Structure formats: structure tokens, C-alpha cells
Amino acid sequence: MQYGYFDDANREYVITNPQTPWPWINYLGTEDFFSLISNTAGGYSFYKDAKFRRITRYRYNNVPMDSGGKYFYINEDGTVWSPGWKPCKTPLDSYECRHGMNYTKIKGSKNGLEAEVLYFVPLKTKAEVQLLTLRNTSSTVKTFKVFSFVEWCLWNAAADMENFQRNFSTGEVEVQGSVVYHKTEYKERRDHYAYYSVNAPIAGFETDRETFFGLYNGFDEPQTVLEGQTRNSVAHGWSPVASHCLELELQAGESKSFVFVLGYVENPQDQKWESKNIINKKPALEVIDKFDTIEKVIDSFNELKAYWDKLLSVYTVDSGNEKLDRMVNIWNQYQCMITFCFSRSASFFESGIGRGMGFRDSNQDLIGFVHQIPERARERIIDIASTQFQDGGCYHQYQPLTKKGNNEIGQGFNDDPLWLIIGTTSYIKESGDFSILEEPVPFDNEPGTEKSLFHHLTVSFDHVIHHLGPHGLPLIGRADWNDCLNLNCFSNDPNESFQTTENKTAGSKAESLMIAGQFVLYGREYAELCLRLGKKEEAERALKEVSKMTEAVIKHGWDGEWFLRAYDFDGNKIGSNENEEGKIFIESNGWCAMAGIGLEAGMVGKAMDAVNEKLDSEHGIVLNNPAFTKYYIEYGEISSYPPGYKENAGIFCHNNPWIMIGETIQGRGDRAWEYYRKISPAYTEAHSELHKVEPYVYAQMIAGKDAFRPGEAKNSWLTGTAAWNYYAITQYILGIKPDYDGLIVNPCIPADWKGFTVNRKFRGANYEIRISNPDGRMSGVRKLTLDGILLEGNHIPCQPNGDHLVLVEL
Ligand code: BGC
């Protein structure tokens, strides 16, 4: 069953039934001010950091689900309703939510009155704008009241949920004209406040939550709204909110619009106050002025649209398959921008208070994002590298506001350093900017410790060879990509964190075949970079290590039909036919295949066949098989999950693309495509009721074949799935790959595809690349012409600015 449809022309997903199987959300803002908004207007806003600068409050995992948001209430003759259905849940005569590129439009109607709210964060603005339009579609005059609503968060979203003995006494607001200012803690060390305004005179307001709702009422029946009467409360402590009341009259057919601005201000220390205890409102009023007419709002909305037109024009495909085009041209790229902005911090599955930016996560996000805004990728790479230690190890996560490493989680995930290599080379290949390698970058953000970014890559590479186990394979540390394979943890205590507890390390023989494959692939990448820089000796040194690792994998990492996953603390095999459960894993097979280890000897082919036979399922490729049915203390968190969920044999959509790419390495386009299609949101939309989460973006996990409900997805939006699927489809299946000095064309497609066209903007030039497949092949470029000239091979050297036509025959 579907709950809406794709409107590709407008780049929107249109939800027509508010009761989606889970809140279906969208993100507003891509720079500093961010909001999450669900299809029923639930969600919250923050400035830069979802933990430290939370602007509005949200209640996670509540009953009912999705409580708290940017709500509007309408009271017409005692009938109280909301345009997004929630929170009132009054049955509507019509409902529609359009999630677009960084904006959401929610429209509802009741008894001949229509209310539409456009929510967006204008470019370069520290505020969310809400354009509310009310239309009288009836034939009689209508008089009614409209109430806005937001609930302030006391800034630190973690403390906001726990320290009530303090919190209930700190809240402070000011109200001036039609603006409510939230200034809790501004008197002390904070230099920031928030505000909520409307561009019209108001009939009243509320800033005290209990006065607005009544102590025993929910979001669905605020006392003020039900009574149609504000008390103009001014919050002192307790829970500050902001609600405006507008009294309106609309003639038949008439409509009126209002602009609400929810903003954030930082004032310099010496300009904090206007007078004693009165905050300096100038910066807020300037923003409010910028959006005080409908025209201004529409202009800035159009700017946002133009911005997205440009972002999405860098890579477009015309394949004749609308589902594929929709993913590549719109939604997958959009999700890549969102993961770039948020890493794994704030979604409806990530509370925004736990994780900041992940070292490996953010590097991976770059491979799907870098073509959109290379300059921002550059900045991100420097930020990430600055959280590295001198020996190449690195903080697993860092906080976006401070950019400092998270001490709670610390370091010791031995795959982390290698991701910096792919993040950086992806950037250089896209931009051609080698100067980033000379950028001085500190260690652990310690001034004075700066070394070139290139040096950071060297220590990343070396970190692996300084941490080898008894088979010459990489020691896993706390975990590799699979955070839940904790081979040194040995936890018997439910109060311990699998991620940070290492009850045994000395003498550990726990080695990872996933890191081994990754090292071979990115080690080669590093060596190639060295060669481009004229560092021949370093390249040779790297390649020597790469071949040692390749040999170690062939010798100690092959199980006969597939690659082993790891060796445990005591040196026992994991992911072997000898194991009772967890005989085969996706990660090591994906990585060793992508690295082409044993390709000629047929190992890659065999491994991919084993994956197909043992891990593939109706809804995608599961992580391991058989699923663990009991807790293995020597494996850690992975075996703590019920079978079929998360890292225990769930379909981790993040690593399905590793297998897609592994298949393309040996030219099997049909299988690569089949895997792509299975987990692609445009395809899973058809069974939204089962899939549950948004049909326009990837989820991290779909319950696997051993689960209670296979096919049910969780953890949508913030997942490396976005970048990896984008990377796999655009660079390996459609096969247009940026390289240091041009584009490589190497499609690997199902034999029955007749062809497709990709338009790629690359370093100032536009390439129209038309692929034709007259003989029904899956791969192999037979002929390539550039602007009418036949080229050898499949490499298009960088061309002068302007349009270029590339004709390719498979
Ligand atoms: C984490 C990733 C990790 C993956 C697999 C995700 O939740 O963000 O860093 O690789 O899980 O464990």
C-alpha cells in the first residue's frame, strides 16, 4: 500500500494520508540553522549542533509517536483543527504534505477553510520561515482564530531532559509587539537567544506552557485554543513556549498569508543588552524585516529552489526508467546532502544528543556528496583530520559545534583511519585541487601540532601496518566498520557499553578481513596518489605493504568458498563454514571483492556467488548467515540482537552496495542491478506499509530473512547507505567516475538495457555522455568518441569549459 506518490517534476514526495506507518520526515536547512519536520508538522530546530544548541523541544519515543512540533491550531466556531492533522487529529476534509528539497508544504482543509504552511530555512539565514496561507473556499464569510505554537528547549538538549530541579527555574522570555524572545540563560554565559515572530499585529500570545495547554491537556487540546482566549502569559521558569493568536475574517473566496519567523541570534559580548535586562533585539528584527512580506518570502523560496536546481544538475541520468532517474537525479543526492550535514546526529532514530559526527561516517558521506559542493567537502576533510592522533588513530566521533573529539567514545576502531584516504582522494578527483594535501592540520585539535594533510594520510595508512595480528592481517581494535563486532569486549555486564569496553586487549589475536580488503583497496589508492605527487619511493613502499596484505588474505583469509570475516581474540575463525552460526558475512566479501583480491584465481566470483546463495533475500542482502541465535560473549554486540535485526543478519543497506560494486568488478551488471533495485526506495515504495519508513530515502536497515517481520525498515535518513548507493549506481553501474585528470567511463549494466545518457558537469565543462548497448552486453567499452574524435580506452581527459558530446558503445 502507498501513502502518497512521487512528483518528480517538482522534486517532491506527496503524502496524501497523514497516518503514515511512521512519521515521514524532511530536513530544512543545509548550513547552520536546521529543522526536522514530519508530515504532521512534528519535529524541532537547532543551530549547528543538535545537542548544544537545541532551539525547540522534542519528545522522543513518545505516546503518541512524534509529539511536539511547529503546530498551527485553528478554532472556527469551536471546531479546532490543525492543517497537518496532528496534533488535534480532527478529521480533515483534505490533507496533503509535500516534502521537497529542503522545504515542506502542509495543507489541510476543514469546512471550507483551507490552511497551508510552507516551512523552509532560507539560504544564509539563521531562521526557519513559515508562510501560512488561509483560504476561504466557502461562499460565506468566515471568522476564526489561528494559534501558532513552538516549545522552547533550554539549549542543551541533554540537560533539558534531566535536570529539572534547575530547569524549572531558569526559563525567561520577553515579548515585544508580535515577537516572542526566548532568553533563558542569556544573563549568564550564553550570548544567544531565539525568537518567534509573525508579520501582523496579534490578538494575544502565550509564553507559559501550562497556561497555554492547561496542566492536564495534551498537544491536541490546548486550553487557550479551546477557549479561543489568550491570557498573555509571561513565562517565569517552568516551560517557556511561544504562541501567537491571530483573529481573522475572510470573505468568501478570500485568502490571507502570514509570515512566521523562528530564528536564532548570537550577539557579541559587548552588544548583548539594549538596556538593563532587555536583550539586544536588533539582529532579530533585521532578519524579521527581510521576510516581512509575502513577496520577500517567495523570492527567498525561489532562491532555495534555484540553489537545488544547480546542486542537482552536476550529475543527471536519463535512462528511461523513471524509478532509477528519480533516485539518481533527486532523492539519493538529496539524502547525501542531508547525511553530509548531519552525519549520524539528528533524525527520528538519532536523538541528536548521543552521537556527533562520525569519523568513518563523515568520510563515507563525502563520496556521495563531494560533487555537489566540493568546497564544503574540503572544509569537512580538514575538520575530520584534525581529530586524528599523531599515530594515525582517531576519535570515533566529534561534536560539530566544538569540532573536538568525543571523549566518551574515544578511539580504537581500527578501520577509521583508512576512511580519510577515500574521503580525501574523492575530493581531489572531483575538484582537481591537490593543494588540500599541503594544508596544515593539527592532531587532536592541538595548536602547534600541525602537519600536512598528506602526512595525515600517511599515518592513516601506517596505522594499519602498525597494528597487525598473527596472520599479518589488521587487528580489529574495538571494532571495524561493524561497530557491533566487538572481539575484545567480553562483556557479561549489561551496564557496560559494547563500544567502549575492552575487557581484554593484551595478546588479542582479533583480526579483521574487512579492514584487510579496505587496506588493499585504499592502500592502492594512497600509492596512486603518491605517484601523482612524484613520491615514487613512498608509492613503492605502500604497494609492497598492499601485496603483503593481499597474500595474507589469500593465505589466511579464504575459507574455500568465500572470505572469512575475522579471527577472534583467541585466533578462532569467524565467518567460516566451520562456524555453527555466522558462517558467512557480507563485509569481508564485499571489501575483498572490491579490492579484487584473488580475482584471477576466481575467488571474487566464488565469494560473490556464495553471497548470492547464502545472504541474498527478497528484500536485500543480509549481513551474515546463519543469524546468531544466542549471545556469544567473544563476539559482542552483534550477537545481542534478535536474529534478522541490525548487525545480526539484518539487511544493512549500507553494505549492499559493496556487493553491487564487487559484482561490477567482474562485469556482472545484471546482478549488480538486481541488488540495487531491491533496496532502492523508489522500488520499496510499493510496499510502504511493510517497509514503514519514508519511501523517498534509504534506511540503514531492513529486517532480514531471519527476522520476525522481514522487509520492515528502520533508521531512515542518516546512514552511509545514501553515499554508498549513490557511489555504486553512478560510478560503477552507470559507470561515470571522476578521476585525477578526467572522467572514466565504465558502465556495468544488465544485458537488456539498450543504453542511457548521463549529463555530468566536471571541472567547469559539461559532458553529455550517451551510452549505447547494441549487442546486449553488460560491460566493456568498445568505442568512445569525444566531440566526434575517437579516443583510445575509456578515459575522457579534462576538457575546456563548454559542452562536450561523448558517444560510447559497449
Ligand atoms: C554507524 C556506522 C557503522 C554501522 C555498522 C552505524 O550505525 O554509524 O559507523 O559502521 O552502524 O555498525
Side-chain angles (χ1 to χ4, degrees):
M1 178 175 165
Q2 293 183 204
Y3 293 80
Y5 60 93
F6 286 96
D7 176 349
D8 293 340
N10 286 308
R11 300 193 184 120
E12 292 172 335
Y13 192 82
V14 188
I15 301 165
T16 49
N17 176 352
Q19 298 186 61
T20 46
W22 186 255
W24 286 0
I25 73 163
N26 194 12
Y27 285 83
L28 315 179
T30 54
E31 285 151 344
D32 299 323
F33 190 103
F34 298 107
S35 303
L36 283 68
I37 180 160
S38 73
N39 59 308
T40 55
Y44 60 93
S45 297
F46 62 92
Y47 177 73
K48 282 191 181 169
D49 191 312
K51 178 173 178 182
F52 290 124
R53 288 291 181 283
R54 188 71 67 95
I55 294 169
T56 61
R57 185 173 285 152
Y58 190 71
R59 290 171 177 73
Y60 312 94
N61 194 13
N62 215 305
V63 178
M65 183 55 195
D66 191 19
S67 291
K70 322 289 179 46
Y71 295 141
F72 287 94
Y73 298 90
I74 293 167
N75 183 339
E76 185 189 6
D77 299 331
T79 301
V80 173
W81 59 282
S82 295
W85 180 63
K86 276 189 77 177
C88 295
K89 295 201 286 186
T90 308
L92 298 175
D93 298 337
S94 69
Y95 159 89
E96 184 185 88
C97 167
R98 287 179 174 260
H99 284 318
M101 304 290 104
N102 278 150
Y103 67 87
T104 287
K105 268 186 208 167
I106 296 178
K107 188 161 81 176
S109 70
K110 184 84 191 162
N111 301 336
L113 180 61
E114 189 181 276
E116 177 182 311
V117 197
L118 165 67
Y119 299 85
F120 73 106
V121 172
L123 298 172
K124 309 259 167 279
T125 305
K126 295 176 189 166
E128 172 185 310
V129 168
Q130 305 163 350
L131 176 62
L132 169 71
T133 303
L134 298 143
R135 279 183 206 97
N136 179 355
T137 57
S138 77
S139 50
T140 53
V141 182
K142 283 189 171 283
T143 24
F144 55 95
K145 290 181 181 172
V146 175
F147 299 83
S148 65
F149 173 79
V150 298
E151 181 178 11
W152 304 114
C153 180
L154 305 180
W155 302 117
N156 179 326
D160 182 69
M161 292 195 305
E162 52 190 36
N163 194 6
F164 301 110
Q165 59 81 27
R166 170 177 166 82
N167 294 353
F168 285 163
S169 293
T170 57
E172 287 189 288
V173 297
E174 281 181 37
V175 183
Q176 196 184 70
S178 299
V179 194
V180 176
Y181 297 87
H182 175 228
K183 60 169 188 179
T184 298
E185 291 185 346
Y186 188 74
K187 176 161 81 36
E188 40 132 311
R189 296 154 301 171
R190 296 190 184 277
D191 59 3
H192 43 267
Y193 63 79
Y195 58 92
Y196 192 36
S197 69
V198 57
N199 68 337
I202 51 177
F205 62 86
E206 227 63 277
T207 70
D208 174 64
R209 192 179 77 196
E210 273 170 46
T211 313
F212 182 69
F213 285 109
L215 188 55
Y216 296 105
N217 294 14
F219 285 107
D220 55 336
E221 39 179 22
Q223 175 177 286
T224 297
V225 177
L226 298 188
E227 290 172 0
Q229 192 56 54
T230 60
R231 291 174 175 76
N232 299 345
S233 58
V234 176
H236 296 280
W238 299 111
S239 300
V241 300
S243 173
H244 310 91
C245 171
L246 300 170
E247 281 179 7
L248 299 177
E249 186 177 285
L250 288 181
Q251 302 303 314
E254 195 191 358
S255 71
K256 271 189 188 153
S257 295
F258 300 90
V259 184
F260 293 80
V261 179
L262 172 67
Y264 171 90
V265 164
E266 267 173 19
N267 274 331
Q269 276 298 325
D270 58 345
Q271 292 165 36
K272 275 179 75 167
W273 304 100
E274 181 184 301
S275 56
K276 189 158 191 274
N277 291 335
I278 303 297
I279 60 174
N280 172 7
K281 304 184 178 65
K282 207 164 148 257
L285 294 171
E286 280 168 12
V287 177
I288 292 169
D289 271 1
K290 277 175 71 181
F291 301 103
D292 62 352
T293 66
I294 316 304
E295 293 69 33
K296 289 184 192 172
V297 172
I298 298 295
D299 283 352
S300 76
F301 181 57
N302 287 336
E303 275 174 33
L304 178 70
K305 288 196 133 185
Y307 175 78
W308 272 100
D309 286 345
K310 189 160 169 253
L311 285 182
L312 295 178
S313 68
V314 179
Y315 190 125
T316 55
V317 64
D318 179 1
S319 69
N321 174 337
E322 67 167 10
K323 291 192 169 76
L324 171 62
D325 291 3
R326 160 186 304 157
M327 289 315 301
V328 171
N329 299 342
I330 308 172
W331 291 99
N332 197 175
Q333 293 205 53
Y334 181 55
Q335 190 178 0
C336 286
M337 164 63 100
I338 301 302
T339 57
F340 170 79
C341 291
F342 294 86
S343 193
R344 310 293 171 265
S345 68
S347 72
F348 273 28
F349 294 85
E350 303 275 10
S351 65
I353 58 179
R355 309 208 265 173
M357 315 291 280
F359 193 98
R360 78 157 82 90
D361 296 329
S362 291
N363 271 305
Q364 288 174 83
D365 294 342
L366 290 174
I367 66 173
F369 167 78
V370 64
H371 64 290
Q372 293 188 18
I373 318 180
E375 308 78 53
R376 287 191 72 187
R378 190 184 205 278
E379 193 186 329
R380 175 64 52 79
I381 291 166
I382 306 293
D383 285 350
I384 297 174
S386 307
T387 66
Q388 197 171 23
F389 297 102
Q390 311 255 10
D391 72 347
C394 33
Y395 278 110
H396 198 46
Q397 291 160 8
Y398 70 97
Q399 221 42 60
L401 193 68
T402 61
K403 299 191 174 172
K404 293 254 166 77
N406 276 349
N407 275 318
E408 300 91 80
I409 182 117
Q411 53 169 321
F413 297 77
N414 283 351
D415 63 314
D416 271 339
L418 286 176
W419 297 109
L420 188 60
I421 297 178
I422 185 69
T424 307
T425 55
S426 298
Y427 166 75
I428 302 174
K429 287 180 184 175
E430 181 65 37
S431 63
D433 171 22
F434 280 88
S435 77
I436 189 175
L437 294 169
E438 283 140 44
E439 211 52 58
V441 182
F443 289 100
D444 192 11
N445 278 292
E446 210 36 70
T449 61
E450 290 80 1
K451 285 271 171 66
S452 70
L453 179 67
F454 179 77
H455 178 83
H456 281 258
L457 301 190
T458 308
V459 294
S460 294
F461 177 83
D462 285 346
H463 189 267
V464 176
I465 51 184
H466 293 157
H467 294 84
L468 295 180
H471 299 101
L473 296 166
L475 288 170
I476 199 166
R478 284 191 181 158
D480 59 22
W481 171 87
N482 189 333
D483 274 340
C484 301
L485 190 62
N486 318 111
L487 302 182
N488 300 317
C489 183
F490 291 89
S491 183
N492 248 332
D493 174 358
N495 301 319
E496 278 174 348
S497 148
F498 284 108
Q499 250 90 76
T500 55
T501 306
E502 290 173 289
N503 291 320
K504 288 191 189 176
T505 39
S508 173
K509 296 181 185 152
E511 297 171 305
S512 160
L513 266 305
M514 181 260 153
I515 306 182
Q518 190 193 15
F519 179 80
V520 171
L521 192 60
Y522 295 159
R524 278 198 218 115
E525 190 83 24
Y526 172 69
E528 192 192 343
L529 183 66
C530 292
L531 280 181
R532 303 246 167 200
L533 298 172
K535 298 178 192 287
K536 217 170 145 245
E537 266 175 41
E538 177 63 356
E540 278 165 13
R541 178 184 80 94
L543 287 177
K544 226 190 237 159
E545 295 296 341
V546 165
S547 25
K548 275 203 254 168
M549 187 68 76
T550 309
E551 279 165 35
V553 172
I554 293 177
K555 198 154 164 215
H556 303 292
W558 181 248
D559 196 52
E561 300 292 323
W562 57 81
F563 293 98
L564 291 176
R565 174 64 177 88
Y567 285 96
D568 72 11
F569 182 91
D570 295 314
N572 301 313
K573 292 175 183 172
I574 302 178
S576 160
N577 209 12
E578 292 167 16
N579 296 113
E580 195 185 321
E581 299 187 324
K583 285 172 181 287
I584 172 171
F585 282 71
I586 196 170
E587 304 98 318
S588 46
N589 285 294
W591 279 94
C592 293
M594 288 196 287
I597 299 177
L599 183 66
E600 287 79 30
M603 289 158 91
V604 171
K606 271 194 185 169
M608 293 298 90
D609 288 345
V611 165
N612 188 258
E613 189 195 313
K614 302 208 159 17
L615 299 181
D616 188 29
S617 73
E618 184 190 348
H619 299 286
I621 311 167
V622 300
L623 193 142
N624 56 295
N625 185 260
F628 297 112
T629 54
K630 55 180 199 218
Y631 176 55
Y632 293 78
I633 189 169
E634 68 275 29
Y635 294 174
E637 185 170 357
I638 188 168
S639 59
S640 71
Y641 289 108
Y645 293 97
K646 290 280 288 174
E647 280 85 343
N648 184 13
I651 296 156
F652 238 79
C653 300
H654 184 143
N655 51 31
N656 278 227
W658 301 344
I659 303 300
M660 296 170 205
I661 297 174
E663 291 289 6
T664 65
I665 299 296
Q666 30 176 0
R668 296 184 188 164
D670 45 4
R671 267 218 199 139
W673 168 250
E674 183 60 16
Y675 290 141
Y676 174 83
R677 203 189 48 75
K678 270 191 188 171
I679 60 166
S680 171
Y683 286 88
T684 59
E685 189 209 17
H687 54 263
S688 283
E689 205 160 44
L690 169 66
H691 190 77
K692 226 172 162 154
V693 295
E694 296 88 338
Y696 36 92
V697 291
Y698 284 98
Q700 179 207 51
M701 193 232 24
I702 301 174
K705 55 186 177 178
D706 310 280
F708 176 70
R709 201 175 291 115
E712 183 185 63
K714 287 175 192 153
N715 198 1
S716 51
W717 286 97
L718 301 185
T719 159
T721 309
W724 272 104
N725 276 278
Y726 184 72
Y727 185 65
I729 187 73
T730 57
Q731 298 199 23
Y732 290 87
I733 298 178
L734 300 173
I736 313 297
K737 234 174 163 310
D739 198 20
Y740 291 108
D741 44 20
L743 289 170
I744 295 172
V745 183
N746 193 18
C748 185
I749 55 175
D752 61 359
W753 283 17
K754 297 282 165 257
F756 59 92
T757 299
V758 167
N759 278 286
R760 179 69 157 97
K761 292 196 174 131
F762 187 64
R763 305 211 200 143
N766 309 323
Y767 300 86
E768 182 182 332
I769 307 171
R770 291 190 207 151
I771 316 274
S772 63
N773 185 21
D775 299 339
R777 296 169 185 240
M778 289 200 273
S779 65
V781 169
R782 179 162 53 184
K783 191 172 150 202
L784 187 152
T785 63
L786 167 69
D787 296 328
I789 297 165
L790 185 69
L791 299 187
E792 283 264 318
N794 60 351
H795 187 266
I796 312 168
C798 283
Q799 296 300 303
N801 291 4
D803 296 335
H804 302 279
L805 180 64
V806 182
L807 302 179
V808 180
E809 215 177 278
L810 297 188

